[in-house]
Amino acid sequence: MKGPLFYAKILLFGEYGIIKDSKGLAIPFNAYRGVLKTDSNLSGEPKVSNQNLERFYKHLSSLKTDLVSFNLKELKKDIDNGMYFDSSIPQGYGVGSSGALVASIYDKYAADKITVLENLTRDKLLKLKEVFSLMESFFHGKSSGLDPLNSYLSLPILINSKTNIEPAGIPSQKQGKGAVFLLDSEQIGETEPMVNIFMNKMKNEGFRKMISEEFATTTDACIEDFLGGNVKSLFGNVKSLSKIVLKNFKPMIPDAFHKVWENGIISNDYYLKLCGSGGGGYILGFTEDYEKAQISLKNYKLELVYRF
């Protein structure tokens, strides 16, 4: 048994902001992917994955909802027969490893599933996001459902607000000097503790004001520039966003990267922002000159995502 492939995702803009209803833009990242497979003789990682699926099955069995039902008997039988999720998506890196798994289980076992081929109205997209949120809460405690949605549809998704999401057309890549890239922190990040830090900070009125007046408006401007292909304006806004994050989200930036982050802002060689919830995993970079950024960051592992 081998199912369809489900890809990683990158939230280009909107981390934390989307929890508080600002805009977000997520794109599929097909350098990493996962697929359901079966092996009757499990060991190593496949065995761990199979045990995780067993726990996930229990979570799905306990869901009290009218939104979705699953063919649980078939799922249990397949898990007992050695099903596992064979994935190259790094875990704890902010690129949606659990999202791809959730999407693959929904695709195979949801009864009356909404398919990618039908006319995806706003209501259908919101319903899918809600279903995925329930499913993925098993992994993160609280999930927006966005990662699985992105992986399932394999389309860029624009989040206008919690109740308004739509597929987005992003400008096709150019062979220019500019780039979006991933910087490997070589540390695992955990979503739940980072989200808890954010939620505690949100109790502070000054922090809430900064989120709505600075962070959200700058994020929205970045998304508008990116979708509109306004590269010059985009880099000005990304630089502002990088400064805001460095000043207000320090706990989410691994200590070893505070200086690296600052150097980018000072030199203008590159600008860094969080990729997912932070705390480790990947950091997202934007640069007007990828070669220059590679030289500045020669001690780190970089991975190209998109060219301007």
Side-chain angles (χ1 to χ4, degrees):
M1 184 191 97
K2 196 172 171 180
L5 291 170
F6 289 91
Y7 297 111
K9 76 91 196 43
I10 291 174
L11 187 61
L12 279 184
F13 299 105
E15 67 293 330
Y16 291 107
I18 56 171
I19 299 176
K20 289 290 145 208
D21 237 14
S22 77
K23 282 188 177 181
L25 179 65
I27 59 169
F29 185 48
N30 49 16
Y32 296 118
R33 59 190 76 97
V35 61
L36 288 169
K37 287 184 178 174
T38 299
D39 187 343
S40 54
N41 196 5
L42 292 173
S43 62
E45 278 186 25
K47 189 169 184 177
V48 174
S49 171
N50 176 263
Q51 290 162 344
N52 278 336
L53 282 176
E54 178 71 47
R55 285 194 286 275
F56 188 41
Y57 158 78
K58 286 180 180 144
H59 168 73
L60 296 180
S61 308
S62 69
L63 286 180
K64 303 273 185 280
T65 177
D66 299 329
L67 275 175
V68 65
S69 61
F70 297 94
N71 190 337
L72 292 167
K73 235 190 233 157
E74 194 188 335
L75 173 58
K76 180 77 172 99
K77 190 178 90 190
D78 288 342
I79 292 168
D80 291 345
N81 288 337
M83 185 171 75
Y84 66 101
F85 193 56
D86 184 16
S87 171
S88 64
I89 307 168
Q91 291 184 7
Y93 262 66
V95 286
S97 57
S98 59
L101 168 59
V102 166
S104 69
I105 294 291
Y106 176 86
D107 180 63
K108 191 160 170 50
Y109 299 101
D112 298 326
K113 69 177 182 187
I114 295 168
T115 71
V116 184
L117 300 170
E118 58 196 82
N119 176 21
L120 290 167
T121 60
R122 186 181 292 180
D123 285 351
K124 282 181 187 172
L125 284 173
L126 284 174
K127 184 180 173 184
L128 267 176
K129 184 172 172 287
E130 213 177 323
V131 167
F132 288 145
S133 167
L134 285 172
M135 291 173 73
E136 202 184 28
S137 64
F138 168 74
F139 298 95
H140 296 316
K142 186 181 193 308
S143 160
S144 68
L146 192 63
D147 287 7
L149 183 66
N150 202 281
S151 190
Y152 184 63
L153 300 177
S154 214
L155 291 168
I157 292 170
L158 174 63
I159 302 101
N160 293 303
S161 69
K162 279 188 183 129
T163 54
N164 181 352
I165 52 177
E166 57 187 321
I170 63 171
S172 55
Q173 299 197 47
K174 311 269 194 298
Q175 286 315 307
K177 282 182 160 186
V180 181
F181 61 90
L182 294 172
L183 164 61
D184 190 348
S185 74
E186 301 195 28
Q187 300 175 34
I188 300 281
E190 281 190 49
T191 302
E192 210 169 336
M194 294 296 125
V195 172
N196 289 342
I197 291 170
F198 175 77
M199 289 308 199
N200 280 328
K201 279 175 167 282
M202 283 299 282
K203 292 171 186 166
N204 175 311
E205 195 187 332
F207 188 82
R208 283 202 306 274
K209 196 166 186 263
M210 178 279 301
I211 287 289
S212 63
E213 288 177 12
E214 289 179 61
F215 183 71
T217 48
T218 310
T219 295
D220 291 358
C222 287
I223 291 171
E224 219 161 286
D225 286 340
F226 185 86
L227 291 177
N230 308 323
V231 178
K232 195 129 204 69
S233 173
L234 172 68
F235 279 101
N237 282 317
V238 170
K239 182 177 184 175
S240 301
L241 187 61
S242 187
K243 285 180 182 170
I244 293 165
V245 173
L246 181 62
K247 187 179 168 191
N248 298 286
F249 288 82
K250 273 226 165 75
M252 288 76 167
I253 302 169
D255 292 348
F257 289 89
H258 289 182
K259 201 84 200 115
V260 182
W261 200 288
E262 204 176 341
N263 288 344
I265 294 166
I266 293 164
S267 68
N268 292 315
D269 286 355
Y270 56 87
Y271 308 121
L272 300 180
K273 63 177 290 297
L274 295 173
C275 179
S277 54
Y282 287 120
I283 294 165
L284 204 52
F286 286 73
T287 176
E288 291 185 79
D289 187 335
Y290 189 48
E291 278 179 28
K292 205 188 252 185
Q294 284 176 302
I295 294 162
S296 290
L297 296 164
K298 62 179 186 294
N299 300 329
Y300 301 96
K301 281 197 257 177
L302 306 186
E303 215 170 313
L304 194 60
V305 172
Y306 183 91
R307 290 294 316 223
F308 293 106

